[in-house]
Amino acid sequence: MITNEQIIAQGLDRIRAGYVFPEKAVDVDAEIRRRLDLGAYAGLDGPGLCEAVTAHLQEVCPDKHLRLLWTDEPQSLEPADQDEGRAAFLDLLRRENQGVRRVERLDGNIGLIDVRWIATADGGAAVIGAAMHLVASSSALVLDLRSCRGGAPEGAAMWCSYFFGDDQVHLNDIYDRTSGETRQFWTLPHLPAPRYTDRPVYVLTSATTFSGGEDVAYTLQAHGRAVLVGETTRGGAHPTVRHPVTEHILVTVPTARSINAVTGTNWEGVGVVPDIPVPADEALDRALEAARGGGNID
């Protein structure tokens, strides 16, 4: 039976080998091993071990994607299969209507799109386009990301593309430590629905908004294309790889980082800060108030 010491050692090996900031991985390794030597993890069961180690990892390195993760469902101990992981995510998106929960036309000719996941650009294009068709004639748009928990970077770029003109706009880059390559993300030249370029856009956020949802919110805010209303988001900007340690424990290692074309940085650890801070359950009313009052993003 694998011991807590062995679980921690394997997790730290993965972090040192893959974490996007190698120098921080050294600090993380030293601190967790110090606590291990002091007996901080002795006697903890699986979920308790994961909770304690994750808390200590994030004390040293406030990266919300850097975690020791417990899962009740047994996992394969084979190395993570990227194709299998992508297939599972695509299946989730199909079951969740490519992340689009609802589209409405509200009083005052204001469009509302509730997005729970950021779909891939290829698989989600038709549904995203259908949603944008339904709000194409609205006077203002509310994009509700309060329950959006993540998704695909290329899908985030597609969502953002609708709010810029035909000319390509450099949105952000993602640097990958494993390959040493930097991938650029630009607005798309062709979309399956009309662009929404000449009217106000309000993005709703909450403390639940994470990862891909934060990408859309941060990018539109940084480019001055939307007003953010709600709560500061969770703060997860680093694409991540999961490695099995036991059948029930995974270590999640951020291997890449986002770099916004305007700010030169991202929202990791700090979240996306709204322009109009209000409790999440008041965000829609506040955005509608601004939209109906002729509020704009200038």
Side-chain angles (χ1 to χ4, degrees):
M1 184 181 198
I2 189 169
T3 66
N4 284 358
E5 289 78 6
Q6 291 171 321
I7 291 170
I8 291 170
Q10 289 186 33
L12 291 174
D13 287 346
R14 291 293 190 178
I15 292 170
R16 287 199 312 274
Y19 188 51
V20 65
F21 296 110
E23 66 283 0
K24 292 184 180 179
V26 173
D27 294 338
V28 164
D29 185 271
E31 177 60 16
I32 299 301
R33 290 186 187 279
R34 183 186 72 82
R35 290 178 181 269
L36 180 62
D37 290 341
L38 292 174
Y41 311 116
L44 294 178
D45 63 5
L49 177 67
C50 291
E51 182 179 355
V53 172
T54 296
H56 296 154
L57 286 171
Q58 295 183 5
E59 282 182 18
V60 183
C61 184
D63 186 325
K64 296 295 177 63
H65 281 115
L66 186 63
R67 297 174 293 170
L68 203 61
L69 183 66
W70 175 266
T71 172
D72 290 330
E73 188 71 23
Q75 307 293 307
S76 170
L77 294 179
E78 294 299 318
D81 186 327
Q82 291 186 355
D83 290 339
E84 182 178 337
R86 179 175 173 81
F89 178 58
L90 293 177
D91 183 61
L92 169 68
L93 291 174
R94 283 190 291 269
R95 289 185 278 110
E96 295 287 337
N97 194 40
Q98 301 300 326
V100 177
R101 176 60 62 91
R102 62 189 173 114
V103 184
E104 292 186 45
R105 180 177 176 273
L106 305 177
D107 292 344
N109 194 30
I110 298 170
L112 170 68
I113 305 177
D114 182 351
V115 180
R116 304 298 175 92
W117 294 96
I118 304 300
T120 60
D122 50 358
V127 174
I128 295 170
M132 292 304 298
H133 266 296
L134 290 172
V135 301
S137 61
S138 61
S139 300
L141 176 64
V142 176
L143 188 64
D144 189 350
L145 301 178
R146 288 176 294 179
S147 297
C148 186
R149 292 177 287 167
E154 68 273 16
M158 169 168 277
W159 272 111
C160 291
S161 296
Y162 278 98
F163 306 110
F164 295 92
D166 291 336
D167 293 337
Q168 287 198 338
V169 176
H170 185 194
L171 300 172
N172 52 42
D173 300 329
I174 292 182
Y175 164 75
D176 183 83
R177 177 189 171 185
T178 305
S179 66
E181 297 177 350
T182 298
R183 180 182 177 188
Q184 295 186 343
F185 290 85
W186 296 69
T187 52
L188 303 179
H190 304 291
L191 296 167
R195 293 175 188 270
Y196 200 95
T197 58
D198 54 351
R199 287 148 290 172
V201 177
Y202 299 87
V203 175
L204 309 186
T205 61
S206 77
T208 298
T209 310
F210 192 56
S211 196
E214 293 177 290
D215 187 347
V216 174
Y218 187 91
T219 301
L220 293 178
Q221 182 188 55
H223 284 269
R225 188 58 193 93
V227 173
L228 271 57
V229 185
E231 299 170 343
T232 299
T233 62
R234 281 180 63 192
H238 295 159
T240 301
V241 175
R242 295 184 173 194
H243 301 284
V245 179
T246 74
E247 288 187 340
H248 294 281
I249 295 178
L250 305 166
V251 59
T252 66
V253 182
T255 58
R257 60 187 176 94
S258 298
I259 306 166
N260 183 267
V262 174
T263 68
T265 184
N266 59 48
W267 59 95
E268 181 61 50
V270 296
V272 186
V273 180
D275 302 295
I276 304 176
V278 296
D281 59 2
E282 299 176 17
L284 178 56
D285 288 342
R286 184 65 183 85
L288 293 177
E289 177 186 334
R292 289 167 181 158
N296 57 58
I297 62 174
D298 297 328

